[in-house]
Amino acid sequence: MQKKMAYSFPDEVLEQVFSFIQSDKDRNAVSLVCKSWDEIERWCRRKVFIGNCYAVSPRMVIRRFPEVRSIKLKGKPHFADFNLVPDGWGGYVLPWIAEMAGAYPWLEEIRLKRMVVTDESLELIAKSFKNFKVLVLFSCEGFSTDGLAAIAASCKNLRELDLRESEVDDLSGHWLAHFPETCTSLVSLNISCLRSDEVSFSALERLVGRCPNLRSLRLNRAVTLDKIANILRRAPQLVDFGTGYYAAELQPDVFSNLAGAFSSCKELKSLSGFWDVVPAYLPALYSICPRLTSLNLSYATIQSPDLIKLVSHCPRLQRLLVLDYVEDSGLEELASSCKDLQELRVFPSDPFGAEPNVSLTEQGLVAVSLGCPKLRSVLYFCRRMSNAALVTIAQNRPNLTRFRLCIIEPKTPDYLTLEPLDVGFGAIVEHCKDLRRLSLSGLLTDHVFEYIGTYGKKLEMLSVAFAGDSDLGLHHVLSGCESLRKLEIRDCPFGDKALLANAAKLETMRSLWMSSCAVSFGACKLLGQKMPKLNVEVIDETEPPDSRPESCPVDKLYIYRSVAGPRFDMPPFVWTMGEAVRILH
Amino acid sequence: MENSVAYEKATELRLGLPGIDEPAVLSSVKNNKRPLHDEKSGENGKSAQNETAPPSKAQIVGWPPVQSYRKNNFQQAKKSESECGGIYVKVSMDGAPYLRKIDLKVYKGYPELLQVLENMFKFTIGDYSEREGYKGSDYEPTYEDKDGDWMLVGDVPWEMFIRSCKRLRIMKGSEARGLSCSGV
């Protein structure tokens, strides 16, 4: 006789309780409690996040979670951003859309990152999901404005269309006119990546004017400065706005019109865009600066004095993205004006120049670390660094959770002592106990990895380039970093020993990327043979890896855990290492 | 040192979890490091004693790690108009099998442009007047402006025209006449 626990809840009650649990991790934990909880939970899971589209197949997801309304998928490895992943590598979303079209007719949200999206996929989305609301294509490619037209025309309840940083084939600006006059549901529209000058501005104006809930609007470069005022006046409720081209001849009436339009936006907290800025137009923003929490000036080629003036008007700033034109002096001003700053990203204006073109050094970052007590996230490109500065930063800001430092010239030592920067980065991992993401640069030996393995217990993502001396470095990281999920390495002398000795660790991580390292083809084959739950993919564009001796190092290696087995959509330059020395291709 | 002994044991070439004693799967594999193309670390960190010393500021693929999206957009921003070269626009004519492309910057004004169009497509355009558009011909030169609207060529000053013209279309027949009358 089956004993039913006297105190068990009816399924409906459990479902109700579970509906309050939104985080993926917690949901996964719930499903591990017992079989019946797993069963109940899977029927009421509405959101799924798949960090690697090849880790699982669409059918498996659909089988386990039959009632999903929202899906988020990531495709290519992060280093694809820097052209290290050849075109055609993969990350196609069409198979997913095709399966979901049948299985999830009520799907509402699709969020993709670094995936290849075709017009066919977009048309299929438009056709298949009657209640489709949210499409986010982050750093995607493969589609054109024709696909966007299909989405615009068919999705009657579209709330979000966000194409951030995607590469779109701009065939015609008229796709915007495909939004029917009845579409009033837009909350967020980001077309900043559209490069051509062909955006139908009148269609855009009308669309903006009839969507009273529009909160976020990011225009593309084609929209000229004089048009901004018209747009803003139709959407004074905006919270987030991305300008187009912010340059024009200074004309008093255009200026005052613009300033007036900005000041009428009482909710505006976040600004971006600012391609080609004419500094004389920046004061048009002054009325909203006191409310600004996020400012992205990372395309604005304006100099430090203008940046300082602007930033000093923004005491509530929490997030600033800027070019290194800001210089140390600008960062010192930032440190004294913006006490709420949580995130700072400083990008290089001349990354390939041999000599520094601006006066931005480690001093700027030290100043911000001292002056901004809430600073948590840093991305900083500079040309010199010292252990002393890093130690100071670490001691000032133990609350850092993301620290990405790029010293432009590989293997640059401490400029004061000419020593490696091991001690400096060591201090970062030692003091910043909640550090989740770290990118290294400069001259580094195996010692830095010893520190990272010892102290980086919460580290989830590590990026390494031109660092280390031997396998010991890699071994420290793989054996010490308990929370490691993503590891990406380029141009380091790490080879077979550390990789094979820590093979089991790889099953606990999402992925490992190694390029221009010293891992042999033989080791890759061995790993692929012995670890069936890993996909071990060798990428080589010049020749097949088995045309050389087994001891030869492979060019690029991408290892990821998967329950779907090897993939079959690989291009000719990718080989999966499979069972019994058979190489699948 | 203790550490290195432990490390040696741990990284003996085998596939078991460290700690489990298994016979080595492979005899020691010689780590044939291919000389890394741009720099080199000897054990003592001295740089390049390589046959192929790297050229002094060779651009390394994907370094510094600036997103290609950012690189492309920033480069576009830096280009000034003068570097951009001409203003090329497509020209279509109703009934013609294929389009042409012309550089508007090359011409000094409307008369020159219209002459060129006439020669290119072998037709004649009528006389322009502000009130009536082009009279005396079945053809009307029109253009699509930045807002996506179709306008009659000749209404605005030349400088403004070349800045806002996205493409040209020589309309024929009744459609054309519709544009030239006031109140379409």
Side-chain angles (χ1 to χ4, degrees):
Chain A
M1 173 191 114
Q2 187 135 48
K3 240 205 291 197
K4 259 231 154 116
M5 300 295 243
Y7 47 80
S8 72
F9 291 115
D11 289 0
E12 302 79 44
V13 175
L14 278 175
E15 224 182 273
Q16 175 74 342
V17 172
F18 293 168
S19 71
F20 293 107
I21 299 170
Q22 299 290 343
S23 111
D24 294 320
K25 274 177 82 174
D26 292 341
R27 279 273 180 166
N28 292 343
V30 160
S31 63
L32 287 173
V33 166
C34 63
K35 280 211 166 85
S36 65
W37 278 38
D38 178 35
E39 187 61 20
I40 297 167
E41 194 281 322
R42 73 184 190 88
W43 278 94
C44 66
R45 177 105 52 136
R46 296 282 175 264
K47 282 206 297 211
V48 177
F49 166 63
I50 293 154
N52 174 5
C53 64
Y54 291 119
V56 67
S57 75
R59 289 226 186 114
M60 289 165 130
V61 175
I62 291 167
R63 204 163 52 222
R64 180 171 172 193
F65 301 117
E67 299 277 342
V68 163
R69 298 272 186 276
S70 161
I71 188 159
K72 183 170 174 179
L73 282 166
K74 292 189 180 182
K76 300 185 204 175
H78 173 237
F79 272 178
D81 285 356
F82 316 126
N83 294 338
L84 287 177
V85 177
D87 276 339
W89 173 86
Y92 306 104
V93 80
L94 187 58
W96 287 88
I97 309 290
E99 295 280 356
M100 293 192 299
Y104 295 152
W106 299 111
L107 190 70
E108 294 177 3
E109 306 182 351
I110 296 176
R111 293 179 171 83
L112 306 175
K113 187 169 182 179
R114 287 194 205 97
M115 293 198 77
V116 177
V117 181
T118 55
D119 284 345
E120 190 185 346
S121 308
L122 292 177
E123 281 151 21
L124 195 51
I125 292 173
K127 236 183 15 202
S128 316
F129 307 119
K130 297 301 167 209
N131 202 22
F132 196 68
K133 295 201 173 110
V134 172
L135 183 63
V136 176
L137 302 177
F138 190 164
S139 251
C140 295
E141 47 155 0
F143 60 102
S144 79
T145 43
D146 285 351
L148 296 179
I151 296 281
S154 310
C155 302
K156 313 223 174 311
N157 295 315
L158 196 66
R159 274 204 323 239
E160 263 184 64
L161 180 60
D162 183 342
L163 309 175
R164 58 173 80 168
E165 297 182 26
S166 289
E167 233 182 77
V168 185
D169 196 2
D170 242 324
L171 299 175
S172 150
H174 282 308
W175 69 274
L176 266 175
H178 285 254
F179 278 107
E181 291 301 313
T182 48
C183 171
T184 58
S185 50
L186 273 185
V187 172
S188 169
L189 180 64
N190 179 349
I191 55 170
S192 53
C193 62
L194 295 182
R195 297 232 217 102
S196 86
D197 281 345
E198 296 187 27
V199 160
S200 171
F201 191 74
S202 45
L204 178 63
E205 267 191 318
R206 287 196 303 274
L207 180 62
V208 167
R210 63 176 184 267
C211 293
N213 297 320
L214 193 66
R215 288 278 176 273
S216 169
L217 177 64
R218 296 195 182 186
L219 305 172
N220 75 326
R221 193 184 254 127
V223 180
T224 52
L225 185 132
D226 54 302
K227 298 250 169 50
I228 293 177
N230 294 353
I231 287 275
L232 287 179
R233 289 202 195 279
R234 279 160 212 250
Q237 75 282 4
L238 282 178
V239 171
D240 167 51
F241 181 63
T243 73
Y245 195 76
Y246 202 74
E249 261 175 47
L250 185 56
Q251 288 166 300
D253 51 332
V254 174
F255 181 94
S256 58
N257 197 16
L258 187 61
F262 271 120
S263 69
S264 69
C265 297
K266 304 294 183 198
E267 314 281 332
L268 203 49
K269 292 210 179 55
S270 161
L271 287 180
S272 58
F274 295 111
W275 291 290
D276 299 338
V277 176
V278 161
Y281 275 106
L282 288 176
L285 304 169
Y286 284 176
S287 61
I288 49 165
C289 283
R291 288 190 287 270
L292 279 186
T293 57
S294 170
L295 188 52
N296 183 351
L297 294 168
S298 61
Y299 297 99
T301 55
I302 51 179
Q303 304 300 319
S304 189
D306 297 307
L307 282 165
I308 290 175
K309 257 195 278 180
L310 185 61
V311 150
S312 62
H313 279 83
C314 307
R316 293 241 167 81
L317 210 55
Q318 293 173 13
R319 186 167 186 261
L320 177 66
L321 280 66
V322 75
L323 285 168
D324 57 8
Y325 291 128
V326 69
E327 299 193 322
D328 290 338
S329 52
L331 292 177
E332 277 151 27
E333 175 62 37
L334 182 69
S336 66
S337 309
C338 303
K339 296 304 183 186
D340 280 348
L341 196 72
Q342 295 175 18
E343 179 177 354
L344 174 67
R345 297 193 187 206
V346 178
F347 295 95
S349 54
D350 188 14
F352 305 112
E355 296 301 317
N357 60 323
V358 290
S359 177
L360 179 101
T361 68
E362 81 286 3
Q363 293 305 320
L365 187 55
V366 171
V368 176
S369 74
L370 188 56
C372 301
K374 300 190 190 163
L375 189 70
R376 284 188 319 214
S377 171
V378 170
L379 170 63
Y380 200 75
F381 283 79
C382 61
R383 288 175 190 270
R384 77 175 199 204
M385 187 50 63
S386 66
N387 283 310
L390 284 170
V391 171
T392 304
I393 291 166
Q395 288 171 339
N396 286 343
R397 289 281 64 78
N399 50 327
L400 284 173
T401 57
R402 285 197 189 88
F403 189 73
R404 299 160 68 188
L405 179 67
C406 178
I407 304 166
I408 288 178
E409 184 63 30
K411 302 200 167 199
T412 303
D414 177 325
Y415 77 97
L416 294 167
T417 64
L418 297 184
E419 284 173 358
L421 291 168
D422 301 334
V423 165
F425 279 106
I428 295 280
V429 287
E430 186 183 348
H431 290 274
C432 305
K433 302 204 188 303
D434 288 323
L435 196 70
R436 289 195 315 261
R437 183 166 180 184
L438 178 64
S439 299
L440 305 173
S441 58
L443 182 65
L444 297 164
T445 72
D446 285 343
H447 284 303
V448 74
F449 299 108
E450 200 177 344
Y451 289 125
I452 292 173
T454 305
Y455 295 110
K457 296 307 180 189
K458 299 252 181 89
L459 199 61
E460 296 178 7
M461 181 168 179
L462 179 64
S463 308
V464 185
F466 303 103
D469 308 311
S470 74
D471 277 52
L472 196 47
L474 181 57
H475 175 67
H476 283 310
V477 171
L478 289 177
S479 57
C481 295
E482 293 159 2
S483 311
L484 197 63
R485 289 186 302 117
K486 290 182 278 185
L487 179 57
E488 47 186 25
I489 302 172
R490 62 163 297 174
D491 293 274
C492 296
F494 299 149
D496 301 344
K497 274 164 97 170
L499 195 59
L500 292 175
N502 291 284
K505 169 74 174 175
L506 299 178
E507 278 181 9
T508 68
M509 292 165 52
R510 182 185 296 173
S511 66
L512 167 64
W513 169 280
M514 292 178 75
S515 56
S516 303
C517 294
V519 179
S520 74
F521 181 53
C524 293
K525 282 203 291 189
L526 188 59
L527 203 58
Q529 265 175 269
K530 296 290 178 182
M531 310 291 292
K533 291 199 226 147
L534 294 179
N535 281 355
V536 178
E537 293 182 6
V538 170
I539 301 170
D540 196 326
E541 288 179 280
T542 51
E543 54 184 352
D546 59 356
S547 63
R548 294 188 299 262
E550 282 208 354
S551 55
C552 267
V554 297
D555 183 27
K556 295 172 181 166
L557 175 61
Y558 186 52
I559 302 172
Y560 56 91
R561 66 179 174 187
S562 176
V563 292
R567 60 185 177 116
F568 294 104
D569 62 355
M570 293 171 311
F573 51 82
V574 176
W575 287 266
T576 293
M577 306 292 105
E579 320 85 22
V581 203
R582 196 166 49 95
I583 301 163
L584 292 172
H585 172 47
Chain B
M1 239 194 63
E2 235 171 71
N3 269 346
S4 51
V5 169
Y7 164 66
E8 280 304 319
K9 267 235 92 91
T11 58
E12 252 167 43
L13 205 59
R14 62 214 172 109
L15 239 351
L17 293 173
I20 304 170
D21 270 309
E22 265 179 15
V25 178
L26 285 179
S27 52
S28 58
V29 164
K30 260 219 285 259
N31 205 344
N32 242 1
K33 289 187 197 184
R34 185 172 61 193
L36 294 171
H37 35 263
D38 7 38
E39 321 254 346
K40 265 355 132 267
S41 52
E43 260 82 53
N44 47 14
K46 272 212 286 249
S47 61
Q49 271 152 5
N50 237 3
E51 319 85 299
T52 50
S56 52
K57 287 287 170 187
Q59 230 178 70
I60 304 163
V61 174
W63 191 268
V66 177
Q67 283 179 320
S68 31
Y69 173 81
R70 178 166 290 281
K71 272 197 292 211
N72 295 339
N73 273 280
F74 191 56
Q75 248 124 52
Q76 276 204 309
K78 276 173 107 163
K79 252 199 222 170
S80 64
E81 254 189 25
S82 55
E83 284 178 326
C84 265
I87 304 175
Y88 280 90
V89 296
K90 291 183 187 169
V91 189
S92 65
M93 169 141 141
D94 290 352
Y98 54 85
L99 282 64
R100 303 297 302 269
K101 231 176 187 174
I102 57 173
D103 177 2
L104 293 178
K105 259 201 171 156
V106 163
Y107 312 114
K108 295 187 198 59
Y110 287 117
E112 204 179 333
L113 172 67
L114 296 176
Q115 185 74 63
V116 165
L117 291 177
E118 281 182 332
N119 292 341
M120 204 178 251
F121 289 98
K122 310 271 180 289
F123 70 108
T124 36
I125 299 172
D127 297 313
Y128 173 79
S129 76
E130 209 177 271
R131 202 157 54 88
E132 291 180 332
Y134 291 86
K135 267 191 81 169
S137 157
D138 251 2
Y139 295 99
E140 310 253 325
T142 66
Y143 70 99
E144 187 187 354
D145 74 356
K146 274 197 157 104
D147 297 338
D149 300 316
W150 285 94
M151 317 284 289
L152 190 68
V153 168
D155 285 336
V156 303
W158 175 253
E159 284 303 322
M160 190 187 287
F161 164 72
I162 61 171
R163 271 201 317 269
S164 57
C165 170
K166 292 297 121 194
R167 61 165 71 102
L168 283 159
R169 177 182 163 199
I170 300 165
M171 281 192 198
K172 186 182 175 185
S174 53
E175 215 186 328
R177 251 167 270 128
L179 251 188
S180 56
C181 299
S182 54
V184 166

